[in-house]
């Protein structure tokens, strides 16, 4: 699939009085400054901008900026396969929604729940209705006093672990989205997993050749790590591996940055109790829809 950065939306979409444009690499610091006003809520976008840049095939989308009457940045959105946005300006939100609706590659839209109704209106109007809807709580953890840790063997994955990581992550994607990434785009999926391993962003526990635990560092800012893909081998669950490995990983990461962030399904009472007992704080309810 061609990189979206090389195929911005038609000029007619961005013309007229609409104060919105494709962001360039020269806008990187302005975007980071804007996103830093709410560092936990924007950890994914800010982390990707920081690590990958504004213009990168790895973003699988295009960054747009909304500018106020004085030319100040008043909204940032990544529009592409995974669409995210940050703005307190309702008109900016409406404009981002129209742009996203015109992007055929959008597969997932995520944002704070109270803003998603506005974001989804043009999709429904054009009969692109959600097929899956999740409600997630964003938690921030900045201490490990209540977490068990000290397990031996947790480490960064290597290329030797690629196929195990790919298989586990594919299980998670299929369970959440209903789409098997190894059937949809096996080459691209393996490539992205491998690149994450190469950047020491995947942590694993392997015992007797079997993958027991996996967690991915999906984004990283100056203040926080954002974790996803936390997985425990189904055959090894209820043995304390998840708690011990998460605690060990958290202790390692919090020695480097102030916070760890992660989303939890709002219907998963067990996970919510775990984060609450750990001392994590909730930063609000988010909605995630798949088209």
């Amino acid at each position: 699939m061609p990189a979206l950065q090389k195929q911005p939306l038609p000029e007619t979409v961005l013309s007229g009085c609409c104060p919105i444009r494709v962001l360039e690499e020269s806008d990187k610091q302005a975007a980071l400054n804007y996103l830093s006003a709410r560092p936990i809520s924007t950890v994914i976008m800010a982390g990707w901008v920081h690590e990958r840049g504004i213009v990168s095939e790895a973003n699988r989308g295009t960054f747009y900026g909304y500018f106020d009457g004085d030319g100040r940045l008043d909204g940032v959105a990544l529009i592409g396969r995974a669409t995210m946005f940050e703005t307190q300006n309702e008109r900016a939100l409406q404009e981002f929604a129209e742009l996203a609706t015109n992007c055929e590659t959008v597969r997932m839209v995520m944002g704070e729940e109270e803003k998603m109704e506005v974001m989804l209106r043009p999709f429904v109007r054009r009969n692109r209705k959600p097929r899956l809807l999740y409600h997630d709580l964003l938690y921030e953890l900045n201490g490990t006093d209540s977490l068990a840790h000290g397990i031996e063997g947790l480490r960064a994955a290597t290329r030797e672990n690629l196929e195990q990581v790919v298989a586990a992550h594919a299980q998670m994607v299929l369970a959440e989205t209903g789409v098997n990434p190894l059937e949809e785009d096996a080459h691209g999926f393996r490539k992205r997993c491998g690149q994450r391993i190469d950047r020491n962003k995947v942590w694993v526990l392997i015992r007797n050749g079997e993958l027991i635990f996996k967690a991915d560092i999906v984004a990283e800012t100056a203040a926080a790590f954002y974790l996803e893909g936390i997985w425990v081998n189904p055959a090894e669950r209820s043995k304390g591996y998840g708690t011990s490995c998460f605690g060990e990983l958290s202790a390692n990461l919090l020695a480097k940055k102030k916070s760890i962030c992660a989303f939890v399904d709002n219907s998963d009472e067990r996970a919510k109790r775990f984060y609450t007992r750990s001392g994590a704080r909730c930063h609000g309810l988010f909605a995630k829809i798949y088209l």
Side-chain angles (χ1 to χ4, degrees):
M1 181 184 297
L4 285 173
Q5 288 80 4
K6 298 176 183 178
Q7 294 186 336
L9 296 174
E11 191 65 30
T12 54
V13 176
L14 306 177
S15 64
C17 62
C18 179
I20 200 167
R21 66 171 172 83
V22 175
L23 295 179
E24 304 292 342
E25 205 59 43
S26 58
D27 298 306
K28 178 177 179 178
Q29 192 56 53
L32 288 173
N33 290 344
Y34 180 80
L35 295 171
S36 70
R38 299 204 309 154
I40 302 304
S41 297
T42 64
V43 64
I44 302 176
M45 279 199 296
W48 288 357
V49 171
H50 176 76
E51 181 177 356
R52 305 169 178 175
I54 290 285
V55 182
S56 170
E57 290 186 5
N59 293 329
R60 304 178 82 189
T62 302
F63 275 100
Y64 291 87
Y66 180 95
F67 295 83
D68 65 18
D70 296 320
R72 291 187 296 262
L73 191 61
D74 198 22
V76 174
L78 173 61
I79 297 175
R81 187 176 182 87
T83 293
M84 294 168 274
F85 54 90
E86 168 62 10
T87 185
Q88 304 304 312
N89 184 312
E90 186 168 353
R91 185 188 172 197
L93 185 58
Q94 293 169 348
E95 298 289 356
F96 289 150
E98 292 294 338
L99 285 173
T101 308
N102 281 283
C103 181
E104 294 182 356
T105 61
V106 172
R107 294 295 178 268
M108 185 271 283
V109 183
M110 180 176 69
E112 291 163 296
E113 185 160 272
E114 68 270 17
K115 298 176 182 177
M116 285 293 281
E117 182 181 353
V118 174
M119 194 71 178
L120 292 179
R121 273 182 210 144
F123 284 95
V124 174
R125 191 170 64 240
R126 300 185 190 192
N127 205 31
R128 294 186 68 186
K129 297 180 181 180
R131 62 180 180 85
L132 291 172
L133 169 64
Y134 292 94
H135 300 280
D136 292 339
L137 295 171
L138 177 62
Y139 280 94
E140 177 196 8
L141 177 68
N142 52 29
T144 60
D145 291 345
S146 301
L147 292 174
H149 52 89
I151 192 167
E152 294 184 3
L154 186 71
R155 60 172 174 79
T158 67
R159 279 281 176 165
E160 292 181 354
N161 312 126
L162 176 61
E163 289 308 313
Q164 291 170 300
V165 168
V166 165
H169 201 59
Q171 287 179 22
M172 299 188 75
V173 173
L174 176 59
E176 177 167 328
T177 69
V179 176
N180 186 344
L182 295 178
E183 295 178 356
E184 182 187 49
D185 178 21
H187 174 75
F189 186 73
R190 282 192 170 86
K191 179 180 178 181
R192 290 187 292 276
C193 288
Q195 290 171 338
R196 195 172 288 174
I197 287 174
D198 291 342
R199 297 195 304 272
N200 295 321
K201 301 292 189 182
V202 182
W203 284 69
V204 296
L205 176 69
I206 295 179
R207 295 277 171 87
N208 299 319
E210 292 291 327
L211 180 63
I212 305 297
F213 172 89
K214 176 191 78 71
D216 296 24
I217 301 172
V218 173
E220 175 182 348
T221 67
F225 291 101
Y226 168 68
L227 301 183
E228 257 185 26
I230 299 173
W231 177 90
V232 178
N233 190 318
E236 302 295 337
R237 290 174 186 170
S238 300
K239 297 181 180 180
Y241 283 119
T243 299
S244 297
C245 289
F246 180 78
E248 181 70 17
L249 177 58
S250 298
N252 183 293
L253 297 180
L254 289 174
K256 302 173 183 177
K257 297 187 187 294
K258 178 182 176 182
S259 301
I260 295 171
C261 304
F263 281 104
V264 175
D265 186 337
N266 194 36
S267 66
D268 190 339
E269 296 298 331
R270 183 177 180 181
K272 287 159 62 176
R273 286 195 300 271
F274 170 79
Y275 278 97
T276 299
R277 287 196 304 265
S278 75
R281 296 179 296 159
C282 180
H283 277 264
L285 182 62
F286 284 67
K288 183 192 299 180
I289 65 104
Y290 290 94
L291 297 167

